[in-house]
């Protein structure tokens, strides 16, 4: 009766006209919710206020609605229209609340709202849309539609805000659709460092799984073999994975791996490398979850030699809150089992303080035990010595076990440990003594014959000791009764006396002892055994009665007992293998850092970490249109920019023609620069975008600069011939160029480069799409038979279009568009006509291509060799790039038998020799063509040539790794 | 991800609950209470508990348990870090993270939690962003609000949320522009009975308080950056610059924040500022023991050691202590068996000493373990590793800020075994 009264009072306040009263009422209601009190009967009164003008009231109403909508579905629907209206104006928060109302009826409405929001202008709204996806995943019917939205958001251009949320949605809705990641993989890698911390964790975990399905095991060659070695070393080891069967399997695998390694040397996929490189700086994150995520990524994905970097970061986390320590230590414990060396330098960081919580102490102990080896065991044992004196008895017990494990693992200290443990037997604390007995029992099992005195000593302890320990002692005496023939029967006598008062585990061991003694020493113990068996026969515990009956049948020969009693001795006194003291943290099959790993049980929604594939799936699935990799370019640091300028210099000094316009077009060099450059690359060689993409994703960022350089060179080449027409305008442009450079450097110093490039990028996005439209028009207007020209045309258009930005009228140029066209037409037509007819290695007219020097006249003793990329298919092998070599003999004598030998290549590369040139007379020149398969990398191919052996190398510029391809207009569009 | 959050006080009362998905009955906490009972000490409660349908992840901060309920696989550290972030945020907002403060600001706390997580996934966790959306209560503002009817809730979308620098809000204005950096170093050490060092390392942290107008871009450089072995940064620090030039370049968040933490390589010998001579012994017969502790300066770099405090967890059998201190005073808590000796400033001429007898429960066996000493101290104006800030430059803004750097060394986990 009292509650409705108070609620009436609240209802009144909510119905009033004053915002302050409403606010007061809402505050009280929300406070009730926070305390966990039921406020659901106020729903109608509150819902009325959803359209309230006062923003604070409105927010609190939202809070209320989200809490109770599920319970009051019908009433909640009343408010939906308000939110739908809100979707237009306050999109993000309206969408957030709408999606949080977990009412299935409104799912279609939400689906529409999410779809709309996913293409909203504001990245914040898109982020909210991504957040809303898992909320909508109430019934599986929606899955397909949701996946569509996820796909769209994954392809989002300015993703650093959205990325974390959308990957989260991906993980919740469709973690199995790994194919959605392909196209976005590189983008995610490159964006990672700019994503907020929580997103980073989710993305890294997802990418770990992704990489496991897409790349090859980097340790396939050496690690398996090595592990085998270490397994041998720790023969008694608890830490190695030397279960017998497993070992066999391992060996097989190793053999396989070794065979495989011989067949095919491992080359890391550049994308694999990209992931490792881009996650490494995150080890320096302040967020422990991020550090852990990177650590597990390295542990699962990196080549063995590189995993070490994570140790330092993980040790740093040990300074954090105790809960963080707890999780980190669990993972470190697992890591130390597999890779002990990694943490060895940080041994002392795992030393235990008396103030640590018990669970931390025990985990640290585990790590210390795992880290113990011949060299550090004495330090570790000294530490253990101090721990044994601790007040915390659980911890002392754990320490004793740890000592036991050290002793089993490291043979040298076994005796020392045993002695130490025996001393502990006289400890005043029962727990300590009991634990020691248990551990000693395990140790003695390894070499019982040496230690009969210890067994004797322990026999004396049987009277006053904990049951578990007593059971252990009895077992020990029974097992090795032959070593202590005098004492054993006496112990049995004493035990028989107290049999009825013992605990069950002890009784069982007494029975065991009796049976074993009966078999070895029946003269002395026959009666005792009978007595014990009789006592056991009437025991309350059926286990013990069972055991007694079983033993009696086995050992006491009667006429009824069958053939088995003959084998009784064998049965009871079989040689038992020493127990393997194992770390409880051997949790191979769970992904580190996961909840499942910590609990050592599969948690709901856990995604298995897949095994490495035998053969790498097609890496080209990750290739994307260059346009989409734009964000990658915006990430250039100022340092790179500076470098960039440096490489520009020589280029400008000898450049002519249109390189000016292109450069000036990208007033914010980054995004549009790459764009036009890529376009030019396409046009330059007339190749598929795929290949150029390959190149653009090559390893180092510096190489990206190289690329740009290359592309610019391409421009230059394209421009050759147009110099007469544009030389005049060129000078003007150069002046402008320098001005621009200055402004660029200014913008650098203000250091706000990120936001700078961000804005410029969005600008260029716009212009890009504009250009696209125009391009399409241009493409359509062209004849289908001349695809290469078409592309050139496109590029030119684009440039001139962009040019408009800072140059109002292109007219001052002598013949603006046409001249571009005609000039480049010349070069392209050359290529076109030749490639049309010839598909065998052909010698193309030089002049248009840039020649690189292979061997200088001086160092070649008169012979000079230049090479260029003829940009034609190399007939014998489609994967090879044709390299045209010009030999010139300027020496006084003839050169003979020019050929290649001792080719030293990076793995995967192949070379087709040029036919041997038998004679090159003095003063003459000749040309030959060879093919090189660079494997789409820019590694240099090294080899020796000429009879006198000159060591030379060919380094391909990125743009030259293309092949000309013919396609119809339609095909071209499709590729686009 | 995170389903629900319960705030539980020391005695086991749930005083706040927040659900981000469907409501989970608070009876789920019973599993936690069970574990808490078993653990005796609150620090010993396992951080992660498994129940039939849920997983409970808890942290213990300032006598409060933050208990998160989750249902599916999620990296445990993710949740733990988030819970600490919640505690940090509340601390930031109200200057304290205690039951009383939270109860007083229940609605604000609830709103903050609402903003921090969306459907269980972190949304806005940066203090700067949150404070733009939900303004922290100040006395002045609450007065103004009651007079004008203004509100505590920001009506615009936080600017930081949209930019590439989510940690800083736009349009910051100050009349006094100042940037202060505190270089704080902690010595973690374990000394053994004889006074020799078992293990010692220096952990440092740079706390910053930056109140600068606009969008300043700061660069902080060190005289001797080589000292720093392992570092971790606030997300604002540009990692590339650090890698290439060993300077900290960043656009700072507004207000207080931790710029970086570092570790000084353990190869360098760590200077231990004090030495401790101690003798604690218990008689085999008779129920008493002796205690004698003297502390003296060792490597203090010419500075004074202040705030010296010795804490000893005595064995359970020790009933009382009858001691005399030449300096400062001591207390012995009978319930927790903790002896605290507050020494204060360390005077090198007259070394402080604490001696006397301990009375042990009669009949109880002689405690075999000797308690270890935990030492607390601080040294002003000194970074014990020798780290020095070289200069701080500001770009991007015209005005001249007031800059200051302060050094402090204190004992971290400094333990003397006996």
């Amino acid at each position: 009766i009292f509650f409705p009264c108070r609620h009436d009072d609240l209802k009144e306040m909510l119905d009033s006209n004053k915002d302050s009263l409403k606010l007061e009422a809402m505050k009280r209601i929300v406070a009730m919710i926070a305390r966990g009190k039921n406020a659901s009967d106020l729903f109608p009164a509150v819902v009325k206020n959803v359209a309230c003008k006062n923003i604070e009231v409105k927010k609190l109403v939202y809070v209320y609605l989200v809490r109770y909508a599920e319970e009051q579905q019908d009433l909640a629907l009343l408010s939906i229209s308000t939110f739908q209206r809100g979707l237009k104006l306050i999109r993000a928060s309206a969408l957030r609340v709408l999606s949080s109302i977990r009412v299935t009826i409104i799912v279609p409405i939400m689906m529409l709202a999410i779809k709309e929001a996913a293409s909203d202008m504001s990245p914040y709204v898109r982020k909210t849309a991504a957040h809303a996806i898992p909320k909508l995943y109430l019934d599986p019917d929606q899955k397909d539609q949701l996946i569509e939205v996820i796909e769209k958001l994954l392809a989002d251009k300015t993703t650093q805000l959205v990325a974390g949320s959308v990957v989260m949605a991906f993980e919740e809705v469709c973690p199995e659709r790994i194919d959605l990641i392909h196209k976005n993989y590189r983008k995610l890698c490159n964006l990672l460092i700019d994503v907020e911390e929580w997103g980073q964790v989710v993305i890294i975990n997802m990418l770990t799984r992704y990489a496991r399905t897409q790349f090859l095991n980097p340790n396939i060659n050496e690690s398996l073999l090595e592990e085998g070695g270490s397994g041998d070393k720790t023969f008694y080891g608890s830490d190695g994975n030397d279960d017998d069967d497993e070992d066999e399997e391992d060996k097989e695998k190793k053999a396989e791996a070794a065979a495989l390694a011989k067949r095919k040397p491992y080359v890391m996929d550049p994308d694999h490398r990209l992931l490792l490189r881009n996650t490494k700086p995150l080890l320096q994150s302040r967020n422990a979850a991020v550090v852990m995520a990177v650590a597990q990524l390295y542990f699962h994905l990196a080549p063995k030699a590189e995993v070490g970097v994570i140790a330092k970061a993980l040790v740093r986390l040990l300074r954090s809150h105790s809960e963080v320590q707890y999780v980190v230590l669990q993972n470190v414990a697992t890591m130390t089992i597999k890779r002990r060396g990694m943490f060895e330098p940080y041994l002392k960081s795992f030393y235990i303080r008396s103030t640590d919580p018990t669970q931390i102490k025990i985990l640290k102990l585990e790590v210390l035990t795992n880290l113990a080896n011949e060299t550090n065991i004495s330090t570790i044992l000294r530490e253990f010595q101090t721990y044994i004196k601790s007040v915390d008895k659980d911890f002392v017990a754990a320490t004793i076990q740890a000592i036991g494990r050290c002793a089993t693992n490291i043979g040298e200290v076994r005796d020392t440990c045993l002695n130490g443990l025996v001393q502990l037997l006289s400890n005043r604390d029962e727990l300590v003594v009991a634990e020691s007995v248990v551990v000693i029992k395990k140790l003695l099992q390894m070499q019982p014959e040496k230690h009969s005195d210890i067994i004797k000593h322990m026999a004396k302890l049987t009277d006053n000791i904990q049951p578990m320990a007593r059971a252990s002692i009895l077992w020990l005496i029974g097992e090795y009764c032959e070593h202590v023939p005098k004492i054993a029967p006496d112990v049995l006598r004493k035990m028989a006396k107290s049999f009825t008062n013992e605990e069950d585990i002890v009784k069982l061991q007494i029975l065991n002892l009796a049976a074993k003694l009966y078999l070895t020493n029946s003269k002395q113990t026959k009666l005792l055994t009978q007595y014990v068996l009789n006592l056991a026969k009437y025991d309350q515990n059926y286990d013990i009665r069972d055991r007694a009956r079983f033993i009696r049948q086995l050992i006491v020969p009667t006429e009824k007992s069958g053939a088995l009693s003959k084998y009784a001795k064998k049965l009871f006194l079989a040689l038992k293998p020493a127990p393997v003291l194992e770390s409880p943290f051997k949790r191979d099959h769970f992904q580190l850092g996961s909840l499942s790993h910590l609990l050592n049980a599969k948690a709901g929604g856990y995604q298995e970490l897949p095994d490495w594939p035998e053969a790498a799936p097609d890496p080209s699935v990750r290739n994307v249109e260059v346009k989409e990799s734009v964000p990658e370019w915006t990430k250039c640091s100022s340092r790179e920019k500076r470098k960039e300028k440096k490489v520009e210099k020589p280029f400008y000094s000898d450049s002519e023609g249109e390189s000016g316009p292109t450069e000036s077009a990208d007033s914010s060099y980054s995004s549009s620069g790459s764009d036009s450059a890529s376009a030019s690359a396409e046009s330059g060689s007339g190749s598929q975008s795929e290949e150029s993409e390959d190149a653009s994703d090559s390893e180092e960022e510096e190489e990206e600069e190289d690329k740009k350089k290359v592309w610019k060179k391409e421009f230059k080449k394209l421009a050759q011939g147009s110099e007469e027409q544009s030389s005049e305008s060129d000078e003007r442009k150069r002046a402008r160029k320098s001005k621009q450079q200055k402004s660029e450097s200014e913008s650098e110093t203000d250091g706000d480069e990120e936001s700078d490039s961000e804005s410029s990028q969005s600008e260029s996005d716009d212009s890009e799409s504009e250009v696209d439209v125009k391009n399409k028009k241009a493409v359509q207007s062209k004849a289908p038979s001349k695809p290469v020209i078409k592309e050139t045309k496109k590029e030119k258009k684009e440039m001139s279009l962009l040019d408009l930005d800072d140059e109002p009228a292109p007219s001052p140029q002598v013949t603006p568009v046409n001249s571009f066209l005609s000039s480049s037409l010349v070069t392209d037509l050359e290529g076109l006509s030749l490639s049309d007819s010839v598909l065998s290695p052909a010698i193309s007219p030089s002049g248009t291509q840039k020649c690189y020097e292979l061997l200088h006249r001086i160092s070649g003793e008169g012979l000079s060799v230049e090479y260029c990329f003829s940009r034609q298919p190399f007939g014998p092998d489609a994967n090879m790039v044709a390299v045209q070599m010009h030999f010139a003999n300027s020496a006084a004598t003839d050169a003979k038998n020019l050929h290649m030998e001792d080719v030293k290549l990076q793995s995967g590369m192949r070379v087709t020799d040029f036919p041997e040139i038998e004679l090159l007379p003095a003063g003459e020149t000749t040309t030959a063509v060879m093919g090189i398969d660079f494997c789409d990398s820019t590694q240099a191919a090294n080899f020796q040539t000429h009879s006198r052996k000159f060591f030379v190398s060919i380094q391909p510029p990125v743009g030259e790794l293309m092949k000309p391809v013919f396609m119809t207009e339609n095909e071209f569009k499709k590729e686009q | 991800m995170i389903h629900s959050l319960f705030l539980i006080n020391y005695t086991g009362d749930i005083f706040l609950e927040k659900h981000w998905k469907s409501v989970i009955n608070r009876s789920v906490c019973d599993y936690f209470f069970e574990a808490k009972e078993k653990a005796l000490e609150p620090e010993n409660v396992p951080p992660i508990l498994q129940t039939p349908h849920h997983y409970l992840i808890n942290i213990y901060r300032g006598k409060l348990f933050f208990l998160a309920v989750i249902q599916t696989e999620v990296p445990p550290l993710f949740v733990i870090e988030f819970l600490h972030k919640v505690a940090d945020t509340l601390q930031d907002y109200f200057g304290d993270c205690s039951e009383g403060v939270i109860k007083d600001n229940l609605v604000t706390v609830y709103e903050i939690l609402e903003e921090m997580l969306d459907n269980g996934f972190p949304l806005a966790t940066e203090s700067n962003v949150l404070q733009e959306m939900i303004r922290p209560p100040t006395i002045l503002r609450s007065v103004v609000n009651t007079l004008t009817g203004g509100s505590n809730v920001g009506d615009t979308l936080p600017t930081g949320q949209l930019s590439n620098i989510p940690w800083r809000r736009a349009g910051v204005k100050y009349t006094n522009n100042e940037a202060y950096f505190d270089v704080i170093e902690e010595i973690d050490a374990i000394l053994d009975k004889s006074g020799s060092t078992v293990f010692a390392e220096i952990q440092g942290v740079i706390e910053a308080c930056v109140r600068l107008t606009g969008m300043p871009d700061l660069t902080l450089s060190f005289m001797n950056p080589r000292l720093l072995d392992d570092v971790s940064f606030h997300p604002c620090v540009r990692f590339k610059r650090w890698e290439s030039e060993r300077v900290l370049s960043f656009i700072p968040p507004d207000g207080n924040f931790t710029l970086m933490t570092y570790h000084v390589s353990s190869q360098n010998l760590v200077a231990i500022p004090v030495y401790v001579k101690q003798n604690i012994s218990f008689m085999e017969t008779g129920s008493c023991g002796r205690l004698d502790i003297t502390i003296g300066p060792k490597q203090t770099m010419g500075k004074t050691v202040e705030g010296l405090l010795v804490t000893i967890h005595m064995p359970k059998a020790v009933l009382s202590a009858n001691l005399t201190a030449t300096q400062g005073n001591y207390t012995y808590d009978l319930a927790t068996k903790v002896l605290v000796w507050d020494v204060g400033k360390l005077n090198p001429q007259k070394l402080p000493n604490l001696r006397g007898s301990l009375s042990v429960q009669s009949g109880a066996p002689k405690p075999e373990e000797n308690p270890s000493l935990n030492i607390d101290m601080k040294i002003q104006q000194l970074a014990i590793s020798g780290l020095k800030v070289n200069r701080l430059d500001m770009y991007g803004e015209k005005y001249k800020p007031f800059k200051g750097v302060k050094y402090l060394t204190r004992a971290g986990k400094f333990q003397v075994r006996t």
Side-chain angles (χ1 to χ4, degrees), chain A residues 774-793:
Chain A
K774 297 257 165 128
N775 281 344
K776 269 190 194 141
K777 279 183 198 156
V779 166
Q780 277 162 357
S781 67
K782 273 286 157 186
S785 60
K786 294 178 185 170
V788 179
I789 301 173
K790 201 166 58 197
E791 282 170 27
T792 328
K793 167 90 180 189

Side-chain angles (χ1 to χ4, degrees), chain A residues 557-737:
Chain A
T558 56
E559 60 276 19
K560 264 187 270 171
S561 70
L564 262 182
S565 58
K566 269 186 257 166
Y567 302 103
K569 197 164 182 178
K570 266 190 185 162
L571 283 172
F572 276 103
L573 292 169
L575 200 63
K576 295 166 186 75
V580 179
L581 299 182
E582 258 213 337
S583 164
F585 290 91
K586 208 182 136 196
R587 298 171 183 176
D588 287 339
H589 46 297
F590 289 116
Q591 183 171 4
L592 283 174
S594 68
L595 182 64
S596 305
H597 170 266
L598 194 121
L599 297 170
N600 202 16
K602 200 174 156 185
Y606 173 74
Q607 297 287 321
E608 294 279 349
L609 193 63
D611 272 336
W612 295 101
E614 291 282 314
D618 182 16
S620 67
V621 289
R622 284 182 292 280
N623 294 341
V624 254
E625 308 288 315
V626 179
K627 240 183 275 163
E628 284 183 44
S629 68
V630 161
E632 180 184 327
W633 295 84
T634 63
K635 273 293 296 162
C636 292
S637 74
S638 59
R639 192 166 55 93
E640 278 172 85
K641 276 192 192 171
R642 238 171 282 138
K643 255 196 192 168
E644 166 69 16
K645 259 190 295 179
K646 257 182 248 156
V647 301
E648 271 172 14
K649 254 198 186 149
F651 162 56
Y652 281 124
S653 59
D654 65 345
S655 82
E656 307 103 321
E658 294 132 331
S659 52
T662 14
E663 266 314 294
S664 60
D666 50 19
S667 48
S668 61
Y669 98 103
S670 50
S671 57
S672 49
S674 70
D675 210 41
S676 54
S678 65
S680 82
E682 270 174 36
S683 68
S685 56
S687 82
Q688 284 167 314
S689 61
E690 210 178 77
E691 280 198 21
S692 73
E693 183 40 38
D694 254 357
S696 77
D697 278 303
S698 66
E699 286 216 18
E700 306 294 340
E701 274 177 54
E702 286 96 74
E703 272 175 35
E704 285 175 11
E705 289 154 31
D706 286 352
K707 253 179 281 164
K708 274 179 232 159
K709 194 164 71 178
V710 169
W711 278 326
K712 272 169 210 142
K713 273 182 191 147
E714 291 253 85
F715 285 157
K716 188 183 69 189
K717 271 170 247 148
L718 286 167
Q720 278 171 357
S722 73
E723 47 184 295
E724 291 102 344
Q725 289 109 314
S726 53
S727 61
E728 185 196 309
S729 63
D730 194 37
E731 285 210 2
R732 199 166 35 77
K733 262 174 234 149
R734 224 175 281 165
R736 197 183 54 203
K737 182 73 214 160

Side-chain angles (χ1 to χ4, degrees), chain A residues 496-539:
Chain A
K497 231 194 265 174
S498 60
F499 184 87
T500 43
N501 301 324
E502 294 292 350
E503 295 233 354
D504 291 347
I505 37 167
V506 183
K507 284 179 182 167
L508 288 174
Q509 290 310 328
I510 295 173
L511 284 173
N512 272 348
L513 174 64
K516 284 170 186 170
L517 281 177
Y518 184 89
L519 290 170
T520 51
N521 187 5
S522 61
K523 221 192 314 167
Q524 274 185 300
T525 57
K526 192 171 179 183
L527 286 172
L528 264 176
T529 307
Q530 294 282 3
Y531 175 68
V532 169
L533 286 174
N534 279 335
L535 281 177
K537 194 174 172 184
Y538 301 106
D539 199 89

Side-chain angles (χ1 to χ4, degrees), chain B residues 346-363:
Chain B
L346 180 64
N347 183 1
Q349 268 76 50
K350 199 166 151 286
L351 298 181
N353 170 275
L354 179 74
R355 78 170 76 189
S357 63
L358 305 166
S359 67
V360 182
Q361 202 176 348
S362 59

Side-chain angles (χ1 to χ4, degrees), chain B residues 181 205-208 220 232-234 236-237 248 250 257-261:
Chain B
F181 295 89
V205 58
I206 300 183
E207 299 279 1
L220 184 79
S232 77
F233 299 120
H234 188 276
C236 70
V237 176
L248 298 175
F250 56 97
F257 65 100
T258 302
L259 180 63
M260 74 180 288
T261 60

